Amino acid sequence: MSKTPIQFTLNGKPTSVFVNGGANLLEVLRRDVGDMTLKYGCGQGTCGTCTVLIDGEPHLGCLTLAETVEGRQIETVNGMADGPELHPLQKLFMENFAAQCGFCTPGMLMAASSLLNRNPNPSREEVVEAISGNICRCTGYEPIIDAILQAASSLRGRAF
Amino acid sequence: MSTIEFRKDIFADERDDNLNTIGKPEIRQDILGHVTGRSPYFDDHKFEGLLHLRCVRSIHHHAKIRSINTSAAEKMPGVVRVILPKDVPHNINTLLSLIGFGRDDEALLQDKKVAYLGEAIVAIVAETELQARNACKAVQVDYEVLPHVLDVEEAIKPSAPIVNDQYPNNTFDYHDLYDHQKLRFGDVEKAFSQADHIVEGEYQMSPIEQAPTETCGAIAAPEQNDRYVCYTSTQALFFSLGTTAKLLDMPSSKLHFVGGTVGGGFGGKVDSLHEPLAVLGAHLTGKPVKYTYDRAEEMQVGAPRGAERWRIKDGVMNDGRIIARQFTGFFDSGAYTRLSSYAIVKGTGHLPGPYTIPNVSSNVYCVYTNRTPATAMRGFGITGVDFSIECHMDKVAEAVGMNPIELRLLNAYRDGDMKAHRRIAKNCALIECVQVAAQKAAWLISPQYNAMSSLKDGGGERAQIPPTMIDDVGKIGERKSREIPTEPSSNGSMSTKPPSTIEFKGVSTAMNTVTPDELARPDLAPPTNTSEIAVPRPVPAAQPQAPQRSTTPYQQPVVTPPSQIAPASAPVVPPSAPVPNEPYKPAGDFQRGTKRPGNSPFVSGTRRR
């Protein structure tokens, strides 16, 4: 099978990889690049578990052709922490018990991170809307929503 | 931090509050891995040259397999190995065989007869998942389609197709005796005749898929020392290991299982179907092999919480006391046993729900149908019947014109009450939970009901085990010769024959016979002063009488019950019933293994101090 070389930036680092024609970004990032933080949940764009940010916007890895990310900026949970220092979203997810099995957490954090980047002061409704494409079977969502609202507050405090 | 509310005002004197961790919110020990994306789920392990396994699955609910032709599939690009049913060394198992419960009834790969849509027939190992999928499509299976049955009550008719060859009556055999699990406590028929109201209801739930975000799967690879490593999503690591060792006829010392990081389980990851096939694939190819469900398989083939149908009949007094409750339950096990037989035993121990009802009877059938086999899911065996019981409680409240919350408080069990499975209720908190819930929901309850407590009014007569009628309806094989009654314990009139004395676990049952005088005890009448809320006292059971045998003769049993079984239709009084009219008192401080009142030598949990 012929392979296509593609180059993109993954969590700030230039990355290049040969991909099979038609391969999706989820498989390429997991198997070829080795970033295991995004997960396979449904492979059909319904669960949000493979959410990544492409140029700051949330996208589903399983529905994104790998060739289309040529030259673009990709962010995953691997890029969230600053060295040993966790991102406020990560810290507040921990403190709010916003993960149980943890399988949806990387995708959930990406959706939340995208929201806070474009809207530093979201309402509860806006948080619910932002994570509405991410299915969590364990927590019942309330702790996740609380964690995102607290993280927004914490990030605003940091900015001022 | 978490928003859990601790109501330390309730049972405050029963608890130490100087503990470091218990009773306080804690951060999960594994959550750092979750928020950094580093928790190692089974599929996060990379292997050089990983092969992919997929299964050819039945396209029929029920069909004989005439032949399987894999010659085209073997020539497909990327195919490394075709695994046939004959390649599975010990191709028959039942999950609970590890604890000796039930007969082996399910093949890992099926070559004789498929009994549900999606049952695995052949496995194909290929270099990529796509190649494995394409090769699966190239396998030709010649089916002879059989009639199927998808409804539990259709399945127990004598004319129904046989779903599971190990259980030709389409029901699990309980205790080598009955086609259903029985519970008998007191005499419901007698109590029904004394009740002011009879309230009946039927409740049906659907199968529920656990739908974990991570689908079930496993990766196995040859390891050094002639072992196989297996990374798996299982919720039950050693259970999966034992099942793999059995199916593959392989010493468990050759298996190195790694698990513990489960991307959501909820019970759906205990069936141990992926580990044996992944290890077998690794064994036959010498390469790492991954076998995982895709989402469509997870939903169709992945075993759900089994659907249950319940009929409940209550005898209720005008003041709301429930004096008798009778259950008939049908548990849809799907095509194989898995854990449904066990779920019913567990559920029967829970009946009649968290209420003290002095006469309880239940017949629950574990029924095989041509549906996806059912398995564990959060409280399975309990949640389905609880749904039915709570719906029924509302119906009872309507029938007697009572506040439904007060109805629950009136009938709720209290510390020291005897439950129908012959254990003393302890550490009860239903009353307190209901009171708090009513308060939070701004649901008004009267002061008398707000003053009720789990610590008060229990025990005494409520701790007694009533003289109990048993019957022999539903012997294994009986159904093939006649229809079962829909209300199995309503089998005609009672005879007046005096009880015969029989031996039950070595204790004579001549004691503890209720005299007719006791039936007329004044304290058992409904309270005349309605301003005073009386906590219900038990309605006495009838004088033990032998129920009349069915008028239809018992013909041609398929299975003969073991000869040591007690004579049919004899009343049985539990051997260690407490002396009547003496409040229940524990014999001493709680110790694990202490014999409690009742029949069971097993005790779990701790008693209130």
Side-chain angles (χ1 to χ4, degrees), chain B residues 11 325 349-358 382 386 390 393 407-421 423-434 452-459 462-463 535-536 608:
Chain B
F11 306 128
R325 177 167 279 179
H350 173 69
L351 301 180
Y355 305 105
T356 296
I357 299 177
I382 307 294
D386 252 350
E390 294 310 321
M393 291 299 281
L407 177 81
R408 287 167 169 87
L409 290 168
L410 177 69
N411 288 288
Y413 56 9
R414 278 115 169 117
D415 279 5
D417 287 358
M418 178 59 68
K419 304 196 72 187
H421 63 301
R423 303 270 189 98
I424 291 290
K426 53 197 181 202
N427 288 13
C428 301
L430 177 65
I431 290 173
E432 288 71 16
C433 285
V434 169
M452 285 181 173
S453 161
S454 294
L455 302 171
K456 289 191 291 192
D457 303 319
R462 294 162 60 106
V535 173
R608 283 207 171 106

Side-chain angles (χ1 to χ4, degrees), chain A residues 1 27 30-34 36-44 46-47 49 77-78 80-81 86 89-91 93-106 109 135-138 146 150, chain B residues 1-4 26-28 30-32 34-39 41 43-47 50 130 133 208-215 219 261-266 290 292-296 377-378:
Chain A
M1 198 181 286
E27 276 305 297
R30 282 181 61 84
R31 293 289 156 205
D32 301 327
V33 178
M36 293 291 190
T37 58
L38 61 170
K39 310 294 180 191
Y40 169 92
C42 70
Q44 51 189 239
T46 51
C47 75
T49 304
V77 167
N78 257 346
M80 277 189 96
L86 293 179
L89 270 170
Q90 292 174 307
K91 268 189 219 162
F93 263 57
M94 287 176 66
E95 288 175 11
N96 280 281
F97 214 127
Q100 285 181 35
C101 84
F103 203 72
C104 73
T105 308
L109 284 167
I135 290 175
C136 170
R137 283 287 280 164
C138 305
D146 291 343
Q150 289 172 28
Chain B
M1 200 42 91
S2 163
T3 52
I4 296 168
E26 269 288 314
I27 288 182
R28 279 183 75 97
D30 57 355
I31 204 167
L32 180 60
H34 295 347
V35 299
T36 53
R38 291 191 187 130
S39 297
Y41 301 95
D43 196 22
D44 295 341
H45 298 90
K46 287 186 86 177
F47 286 91
L50 180 70
L130 183 61
R133 279 178 189 273
I208 301 170
E209 164 60 32
Q210 299 84 0
T213 328
E214 173 202 53
T215 59
I219 297 176
T261 309
V262 181
F266 321 113
K290 175 168 118 178
T292 182
Y293 282 155
D294 62 19
R295 178 54 58 185
M377 184 177 181
R378 291 193 163 181

